[in-house]
Amino acid sequence: MTAPSGEQPTIAPVTDLPGVGPGTAEKLERLGITTLGDLLLHLPYRYQDRTRSVPFDELAPGTECLVTGKIMASSISYGRRRSLLTRLGDGHGTLTIRLFHFSRGQEQSMQPGSWMRCFGDVRIGPNGLEMVHPEYRLHRAEPPPARAELTPVYPATLGLTSGRIRKWVGAALERCEDALASTLPNMEFADLMKAIQFLHAPSNDQDRINAARERVVLDELTGHYLVMKRRQALLKRQSTIALPSGPKLGRQLLKQLGFRLTRAQAKTTGEVLEDLAKERPMMRLLQGDVGSGKTVVAAFAATRAAERGCQTAIMAPTEILAEQHFETMSAWLAPLGIDVGLLTGRQSAPERRTRLEAIREGQDLVAVGTHALFQAGVEFRQLALAIIDEQHRFGVHQRMQLRDKGRLPHQLVMTATPIPRTLTMALYADMDVSTIDELPPGRLPVHTHGAAMSRRGEVIDRVRDWCERGRQGYWVCTTIEEDEENELNAAESVHAELAAQMPRLRVGLVHGRLPQAEKNAVMAQFKAGEIDVLVATTVIEVGVDVSNASVMVIDNAERLGLAQLHQLRGRVGRGSAQATCILLYEAPLSAVARERLAVMRDTNDGFKIAEKDLELRGPGDILGTRQTGEETFKLADLGIDRHLLPRAVELGNRLLAEDETTAQTIIDTWGRRDAEYASV
Ligand code: ADP
Ligand code: MG
C-alpha cells in the first residue's frame, strides 16, 4: 500500500483506509477523527475481558464475560415471547443461551454435541443463569484458548460500532508503525507509539494499562504546554503600541471612584500598567473571585490607553454584562473626557452604523460589546488594548481573532473562575497572571443553606418575609439540559407561582430570550428597587451587579456545577447587608451533588471551590470548556490527571532547553489545531 500523503502517514485522511468511504468519514468526523493519527489517538474507554473462559460455577449475574460450553439441548420455548433456548454444559455447571430473534438456520445449527463460545452479560433467568443474545460462535470441537489481549471498546457514534472502529484502528496502527515518535527515556513506556499500541490491545494488566495511559496523557499535556510556550515566545517578538504613563488621568479616576483600592487591586493595576508601557504585547490573565473588583483594574488600563489617544475594546460574554460594563465605564470615564460606546448584536442598524463610525473615527476611545466586537466590519482607528471578561466563555480561538491591522493589541483577560496555580502554570503558560486575592472591605460571606424540594413552600414564605421587609432577591431557575426553551418555561411558571404567592411584592422576570431593551429595562428596575424578587434564568450568572440584592434562591441547585453555583451566589452579598443563599434541591442527591452542596455551605472562597470543582467534575468537563465547545484535550482529564501537570511543565521546559527535536515531535502529535494560533 502506498502512502499518498508522503512521509507522515498520521496526517493521511481516514479515507485512505480500505472500506472507509465518504459516508463513514463523515461519521468518524463526528468523533473528531479525520486522519489516521486521530484514529491512533482514539483510545478505548474500557476493555472487555475475553482472555479467559469463565467456568459456569463461577458466573456472577450482572457481569460481562466469555464462556465456553458444549451444547446439551436446544429447543424453542413458547412462553410470553417465543425464544430459542440452548443449554450449555462445561463440566462445572450449566448455562442457558436465549435468543428471541433467530433464523431457521440458527435453530438448526444448535446441535447437541457442538461447542459454543459466547461473550455477553450474565443474568438470572427463569431457570437459572442465562445470556440473552450474546456474541457467539459455534465450533465442532473444543475451541482453542481465548485470545491473550483485552478487547478494546471505543467511543462510538450513531452508525459506527466499536467493532468497526476497532478494525480501522488496527489498520491505522499498521500504517503508522513508526509515526508519533516521541521518545522519553526513563519511563515505563519510553516510546509514545509503544504506549498507544499497548492501549489498543493490552494484556490483562491494569498497572501496565495505567502506565501506558499516563505516558500518553503526559505527552498530550506536555504538547499543550509547549504550544503555549511557543506562542508566548512568538508574542515576545511582536511589537505593539507602547503605552507609557501619560498626563495622569489615572489619578483623576482614582479620585472619583468613591472608594479606595484594595491592596490587591492596587498591586494588580500596577502590574497591568507596567506591561502596557512596553512595546511587547501584554498577555495577562487577571483572576479574582466574584466581586473582588476586577472592573476597576480594567478601567485603569483603558484610561492609560485613552490618554495616549488609543482605543480599548472591552468584551463581555452576555448582553446584560456588556450593558453593565458600558454603564460602569461611562460613569467612571466620561468625566475624564473619555467617550465610551456600546456595540451589541441586537442594536438597530442605524444605531450600529453610528457606533461603527465612532469606533472607526476613533471618537469612541472605549468600545464595550459582546462578540459583536469581533465581527468583520468593526474597524478601529487605533486599537491598543483588548479586555476580555470571563474568558472561559470565549475560548482561545476568539481571543486571538481580535487584531488591529494585523497587529495584536495588548490583552487583558479577566476571569472570576479562579484557576488553581498548578493549572495556570501548565494551561495558561502563555500568559502572565495577576491575582486579586481579597475582597473590598466590609463584605460579609454569604450564608448558604440547602433545602429539599419538600420545603419549597417554607422557602417561599421566608423569601416573602424578607422582601416585604425591604430586601431584594433573585430566584434562579435551572434546567437539566442546557436548553434555553426549557429554562424559559421553568422560569415563566416559577414567575407565575411567586407572583401569586407574593401578592404584596413586585416579582419580575428576566431570561435570555427577552429582547435586549426589555432585559435592560428589567435589570434597571431591579437595580432601582422597583422589583423586589427577580425570577431569572442562569443568564444572570455572570457579572450582574445589584448591590442591594441580598437573597438568592437557586431552584434545583443539584443540577449545577460548583463553578456555576459560585458564580451565581456571587450576585448577592455585594452590599453591606448580610446575604443569604438557599440551594433548593430535589432529593435524593447523588453523592457528588451532595458534596457540591456541602462545599457551597462551607466556604465562600472561590479558590477552594475551584480546587474542589476539579476533583468532582466528570471527564471532559474541564474549566467550563464545554460551554464554548472548545475541545481542549483528546485524552487528558484534568480531574484525574492534573497530578501530571507539574511533570508536563518540567518536561516541557527541559525539552525546550535540551531537545528541540523531541519538543517539535510532541507539538506535531498534539498541536495540529493549536499550531494555527501558535503562528501569531
Ligand atoms: P468582579 O471582580 O466580580 O468583576 P466588580 O468589578 O463588578 O467585581 O466589583 C464588584 C463591586 O465592588 C462593584 O460594585 C464595585 O464598584 C465594587 N468595588 C470594587 N472595588 C472596590 C473597593 N476597592 N472598595 C469598595 N467597593 C469596590
Ligand atoms: Mg466582573
Side-chain angles (χ1 to χ4, degrees):
M1 171 137 267
T2 54
S5 303
E7 324 122 70
Q8 211 13 309
T10 51
I11 60 173
V14 284
T15 44
D16 271 19
L17 293 177
V20 180
T24 302
E26 211 176 289
K27 287 176 189 153
L28 283 170
E29 199 171 346
R30 269 185 247 147
L31 295 167
I33 300 171
T34 56
T35 65
L36 299 193
D38 295 335
L39 262 178
L40 297 184
L41 297 173
H42 191 65
L43 294 173
Y45 66 96
R46 67 181 185 95
Y47 298 98
Q48 293 169 344
D49 185 358
R50 304 186 187 211
T51 61
R52 161 177 182 260
S53 267
V54 179
F56 290 170
D57 58 351
E58 285 178 28
L59 291 175
T63 57
E64 185 189 52
C65 60
L66 187 79
V67 294
T68 310
K70 210 168 185 173
I71 298 180
M72 294 156 61
S74 181
S75 62
I76 295 179
S77 134
Y78 297 89
R80 252 194 317 176
R81 276 177 78 190
R82 205 172 76 108
S83 56
L84 175 63
L85 300 181
T86 303
R87 199 151 186 81
L88 303 182
D90 73 344
H92 298 277
T94 60
L95 175 70
T96 302
I97 306 301
R98 184 187 292 272
L99 302 184
F100 290 110
H101 313 279
F102 54 91
S103 65
R104 203 60 203 271
Q106 274 175 307
E107 184 192 334
Q108 284 164 356
S109 67
M110 302 292 184
Q111 289 295 336
S114 287
W115 289 76
M116 196 173 185
R117 174 165 278 169
C118 310
F119 183 83
D121 288 314
V122 181
R123 63 167 216 186
I124 300 173
N127 305 306
L129 294 180
E130 61 179 35
M131 273 189 184
V132 179
H133 280 283
E135 288 176 47
Y136 75 86
R137 231 172 137 165
L138 293 167
H139 300 261
R140 271 173 217 284
E142 182 167 8
R147 75 178 82 185
E149 294 92 27
L150 295 178
T151 306
V153 181
Y154 293 99
T157 181
L158 206 65
L160 284 187
T161 60
S162 175
R164 290 175 79 193
I165 293 173
R166 197 179 305 149
K167 208 178 76 191
W168 294 320
V169 168
L173 278 168
E174 251 169 58
R175 282 275 301 276
C176 304
E177 216 166 333
D178 299 317
L180 307 185
S182 88
T183 302
L184 302 172
N186 307 325
M187 296 194 68
E188 186 167 344
F189 286 89
D191 292 343
L192 176 65
M193 200 57 190
K194 288 264 153 47
I196 290 172
Q197 280 163 344
F198 184 77
L199 287 171
H200 285 296
S203 53
N204 195 358
D205 178 347
Q206 194 57 47
D207 286 346
R208 253 176 96 67
I209 292 174
N210 291 344
R213 190 180 171 281
E214 214 165 77
R215 170 66 180 83
V216 183
V217 169
L218 184 67
D219 219 85
E220 177 170 33
L221 293 174
T222 307
H224 180 90
Y225 178 74
L226 288 170
V227 169
M228 293 289 123
K229 275 316 217 198
R230 170 167 296 184
R231 194 164 91 184
Q232 187 183 41
L234 285 166
L235 212 58
K236 281 184 174 157
R237 272 184 261 135
Q238 304 261 310
S239 69
T240 192
I241 309 164
L243 303 166
S245 70
K248 309 294 179 219
L249 279 184
R251 192 156 296 167
Q252 226 173 300
L253 173 60
L254 194 56
K255 249 193 251 154
Q256 59 159 63
L257 277 178
F259 50 74
R260 293 174 59 181
L261 294 188
T262 62
R263 178 199 48 79
Q265 281 170 321
K267 177 167 154 286
T268 49
T269 301
E271 287 162 357
V272 169
L273 294 182
E274 203 172 299
D275 281 359
L276 290 179
K278 294 175 190 152
E279 242 181 37
R280 178 195 333 140
M282 168 171 77
M283 182 64 91
R284 189 169 280 277
L285 181 69
L286 174 63
Q287 53 173 348
D289 212 341
V290 221
S292 62
K294 296 181 287 294
T295 320
V296 182
V297 180
F300 277 102
T303 302
R304 169 63 64 82
E307 61 189 15
R308 292 275 155 196
C310 294
Q311 289 168 297
T312 299
I314 301 180
M315 271 166 299
T318 64
E319 311 240 342
I320 290 186
L321 192 54
E323 171 73 18
Q324 185 180 293
H325 275 324
F326 169 69
E327 274 172 22
T328 310
M329 289 295 163
S330 303
W332 284 340
L333 303 183
L336 311 181
I338 301 170
D339 280 352
V340 182
L342 176 69
L343 194 70
T344 70
R346 305 205 193 176
Q347 277 163 330
S348 69
E351 238 179 314
R352 185 177 162 79
R353 220 170 304 124
T354 313
R355 285 299 30 109
L356 287 176
E357 166 111 359
I359 293 172
R360 189 169 47 242
E361 302 277 293
Q363 182 207 325
D364 280 354
L365 280 172
V366 177
V368 184
T370 51
H371 56 277
L373 271 182
F374 290 125
Q375 280 155 12
V378 183
E379 211 182 294
F380 287 83
R381 184 160 172 277
Q382 193 167 43
L383 180 67
L385 171 63
I387 298 174
I388 301 169
D389 199 5
E390 309 296 350
Q391 66 135 27
H392 294 147
R393 302 250 166 168
F394 282 106
V396 194
H397 293 94
Q398 284 156 310
R399 197 185 332 143
M400 301 306 285
Q401 271 170 23
L402 200 92
R403 295 177 194 205
D404 184 38
K405 302 171 192 84
R407 190 165 49 175
L408 276 177
H410 294 288
Q411 293 191 57
L412 179 65
V413 175
M414 305 197 286
T415 176
T417 309
I419 306 162
R421 216 184 89 79
T422 44
L423 289 197
T424 40
M425 247 174 43
L427 303 184
Y428 297 88
D430 60 332
M431 294 194 176
D432 299 305
V433 180
S434 289
T435 305
I436 303 186
D437 55 5
E438 65 183 331
L439 297 180
R443 296 272 169 85
L444 298 167
V446 179
H447 286 171
T448 304
H449 315 277
M453 216 40 99
S454 53
R455 293 174 48 205
R456 200 157 189 279
E458 257 172 75
V459 171
I460 293 176
D461 291 347
R462 285 287 278 286
V463 171
R464 185 183 46 228
D465 283 354
W466 281 328
C467 292
E468 282 183 350
R469 277 187 250 133
R471 291 169 76 173
Q472 280 179 287
Y474 296 99
W475 192 293
V476 183
C477 302
T478 60
T479 41
I480 298 171
E481 302 101 51
E482 281 178 33
D483 179 348
E484 230 180 299
E485 191 88 36
N486 256 331
E487 203 164 75
L488 179 54
N489 289 338
E492 277 174 342
S493 64
V494 169
H495 176 250
E497 178 193 7
L498 295 187
Q501 304 256 354
M502 305 178 175
R504 278 192 298 253
L505 294 173
R506 295 154 299 181
V507 182
L509 173 65
V510 67
H511 55 77
R513 290 283 183 82
L514 225 48
Q516 182 60 28
E518 275 181 57
K519 233 192 275 183
N520 293 344
V522 174
M523 289 315 294
Q525 276 177 296
F526 189 52
K527 232 174 189 167
E530 292 157 13
I531 288 175
D532 304 298
V533 177
L534 182 61
V535 176
T537 57
T538 49
V539 294
I540 59 148
E541 179 189 341
V542 166
V544 175
D545 191 24
V546 177
S547 57
N548 190 47
S550 65
V551 179
M552 174 172 288
V553 177
I554 303 179
D555 229 333
N556 289 108
E558 79 280 359
R559 292 173 181 169
L560 299 183
L562 267 179
Q564 216 179 355
L565 286 170
H566 180 62
Q567 288 288 312
L568 281 170
R569 183 174 58 181
R571 303 305 116 218
V572 293
R574 304 195 142 213
S576 46
Q578 174 61 57
T580 312
C581 176
I582 298 174
L583 306 172
L584 260 178
Y585 63 85
E586 199 73 68
L589 285 172
S590 71
V592 170
R594 180 188 312 275
E595 198 160 347
R596 278 202 296 256
L597 299 191
V599 171
M600 289 299 292
R601 262 196 318 265
D602 295 346
T603 183
N604 275 269
D605 181 334
F607 279 87
K608 278 195 196 136
I609 290 174
E611 281 283 357
K612 201 71 196 167
D613 191 24
L614 260 177
E615 259 173 53
L616 296 179
R617 277 191 199 205
D621 192 10
I622 308 145
L623 296 174
T625 47
R626 232 177 229 170
Q627 293 161 356
T628 62
E630 187 192 1
E631 164 215 355
T632 315
F633 296 110
K634 276 195 154 71
L635 187 65
D637 173 348
L638 294 183
I640 307 172
D641 300 316
R642 70 197 157 113
H643 67 284
L644 291 174
L645 285 172
R647 261 171 88 190
V649 170
E650 196 189 295
L651 178 61
N653 287 338
R654 189 162 54 72
L655 293 177
L656 284 176
E658 298 167 12
D659 187 354
E660 277 283 344
T661 321
T662 302
Q664 189 56 50
T665 310
I666 294 179
I667 289 174
D668 291 344
T669 303
W670 303 100
R672 195 156 37 93
R673 209 174 42 97
D674 286 348
E676 287 161 29
Y677 31 79
S679 59
V680 175

